Amino acid sequence: MRWILVGASTIAAEHMIGAFRGQGHAVVHVVSTTAARAAEFAATHGIAGSGDDLTAALAAGDAVYISSTNEKHRAQALAAIAAGKHVLCEKPLAMSVAEAREMVEAADAAGVVFATNHHLRCSGSHRKVRELIEGGRIGRVLSLRIFHAVHLPPHLQGWRITDPGAGGGVIPDITVHNADVARFLLGEDPQEVVAQMAASGLGQGVEDSAMSIWSMPSGAMVFSHESFTHPFAGSGLEVHGTEGSIFARGVMTQRPLGEIELVSAAGREAIPFSEHNLYSMGVAEFASAVEGKGRPAADGWDGVASLTVAFAVREAARTGVKQAVKIGGAV
Ligand code: NDP
């Protein structure tokens, strides 16, 4: 496959170029809003083509990876889809649920593959936790607690903490991931949310911390904590059931790290899991979907759903009023 990168971004540089090449794919072109920056990025990463003209670039490849700031995703995705390209788009898909739906509906109408880069559901640890739940190892699920309060590294302390117009804030950045994790692990969508948010040291005009509680159709409760300001909190998730509890520590990460422990009446059991690269798995499953085999790890409707939950959390925090989560359409 020949990939066109849209956005000369950190995530492309640190993870995705390696993931594409690791699957034997070519990265043929990079598009930036400034041609000089695109050329510099291309030179640094050994990419043959570069420029600031998305329309012209689209002829160069088969698939487009969008990792620009969030307010640009919609127009770039629609242009790629109109040119018949398959699209892997970063989360959050867009600045509103309506925009995200428009993107995914356009992809469906054009018959191209559209995926959301929710990498956590590609990790060996999360897949193992889901397997334990589905295998009945903890009985009926009572609750899920997700700890995703991190310290935003200095090189990412830009638009995420200062610019609502670019989609900044911890809720569009991290709550979307937690929403996808909850949906992936429990196989159901949140129905209602209550929430609070705060600016606790980094956010300037946007929230940098949030806590929320979601009710699920099965009766399970989900607690989601995300932040940019917690240097030593560590990440993880716990799933508690009638017959056991799963403790997955250090697993809300970009790398295949962490540990899983299952606790039940039988005692404590360390659970091994695959340590494959999360982003490579996502690219591999995207490529299979393009070949007509299966679906991407997270498709466009998964991205719409995670965004719907995140914006319900933000609205609940803004108003102090419990919000219904209305995930409609082909989810
Ligand atoms: P960056 O800030 O690194 O990049 C976003 C855009 O900012 C780039 O496309 C680029 O615009 C511009 N930019 C970046 N660095 C510079 C610079 N030094 N000087 C001037 N402009 C610059 O963002 P991220 O890579 O952190 O995030 C990009 C997207 O990926 C977001 O949607 C984010 O939510 C998502 N993301 C997803 C992750 C995941 O695991 N799924 C992890 C991290 C991010 P231009 O291209 O126009 O030059």
Side-chain angles (χ1 to χ4, degrees):
M1 251 165 107
R2 295 168 304 151
W3 285 92
I4 299 157
L5 308 185
V6 180
S9 68
T10 308
I11 177 76
E14 292 184 352
H15 294 279
M16 295 308 295
I17 292 173
F20 295 132
R21 290 178 173 156
Q23 293 300 310
H25 301 179
V27 179
V28 295
H29 201 97
V30 57
V31 179
S32 163
T33 50
T34 51
R37 185 170 151 68
E40 184 189 344
F41 190 93
T44 303
H45 298 287
I47 300 168
S50 68
D52 60 0
D53 185 341
L54 173 60
T55 310
L58 288 170
D62 322 297
V64 173
Y65 168 59
I66 297 172
S67 64
S68 51
T69 46
N70 305 331
E71 86 286 8
K72 299 195 179 80
H73 293 177
R74 173 186 167 274
Q76 292 167 338
L78 291 177
I81 292 162
K85 307 300 169 183
H86 305 291
V87 174
L88 173 57
C89 187
E90 273 305 343
K91 44 51 65 174
L93 285 188
M95 299 292 282
S96 72
V97 173
E99 286 185 358
R101 294 187 67 87
E102 182 188 4
M103 294 154 67
V104 180
E105 282 167 0
D108 284 354
V112 297
V113 172
F114 187 103
T116 310
N117 205 21
H118 276 312
H119 63 293
L120 289 166
R121 61 164 66 200
C122 297
S123 74
S125 58
H126 288 242
R127 290 184 175 191
K128 180 58 74 176
V129 171
R130 187 167 80 155
E131 195 182 302
L132 292 170
I133 296 168
E134 286 180 347
R137 298 290 301 277
I138 62 168
R140 178 169 61 84
V141 174
L142 300 169
S143 61
L144 164 64
R145 305 205 298 169
I146 302 176
F147 309 95
H148 208 160
V150 299
H151 189 253
L152 192 65
H155 72 290
L156 296 183
Q157 291 179 15
W159 57 272
R160 271 185 181 77
I161 56 170
T162 60
D163 191 353
V170 79
I171 291 175
D173 201 57
I174 301 187
T175 310
V176 286
H177 278 313
N178 293 357
D180 189 64
V181 166
R183 295 182 67 249
F184 178 70
L185 295 182
L186 304 185
E188 56 182 346
D189 294 325
Q191 282 182 313
E192 289 182 328
V193 302
V194 294
Q196 296 219 13
M197 60 184 174
S200 59
L202 283 178
Q204 301 155 44
V206 295
E207 80 288 344
D208 61 26
S209 294
M211 289 188 179
S212 55
I213 297 169
W214 315 342
S215 54
M216 308 298 274
S218 66
M221 297 175 75
V222 177
F223 167 74
S224 175
H225 178 202
E226 44 279 338
S227 177
F228 289 150
T229 62
H230 287 46
F232 306 110
S235 78
L237 60 87
E238 299 175 358
V239 199
H240 302 290
T242 52
E243 309 298 326
S245 287
I246 300 164
F247 297 86
R249 303 181 185 97
V251 298
M252 305 301 288
T253 67
Q254 296 180 290
R255 300 186 190 282
L257 304 173
E259 57 189 36
I260 302 175
E261 188 178 40
L262 175 64
V263 182
S264 69
R268 294 179 174 272
E269 185 184 347
I271 306 287
F273 56 86
S274 168
E275 296 181 353
H276 60 256
N277 181 293
L278 286 64
Y279 296 102
S280 299
M281 182 63 80
V283 171
E285 293 184 5
F286 183 93
S288 292
V290 168
E291 288 171 8
K293 293 181 240 154
R295 61 188 285 276
D299 65 16
W301 293 110
D302 291 314
V304 171
S306 66
L307 195 64
T308 305
V309 176
F311 282 148
V313 166
R314 195 183 246 170
E315 189 62 8
R318 191 184 70 78
T319 60
V321 176
K322 184 193 287 183
Q323 297 292 310
V325 182
K326 297 194 180 78
I327 299 173
V331 179

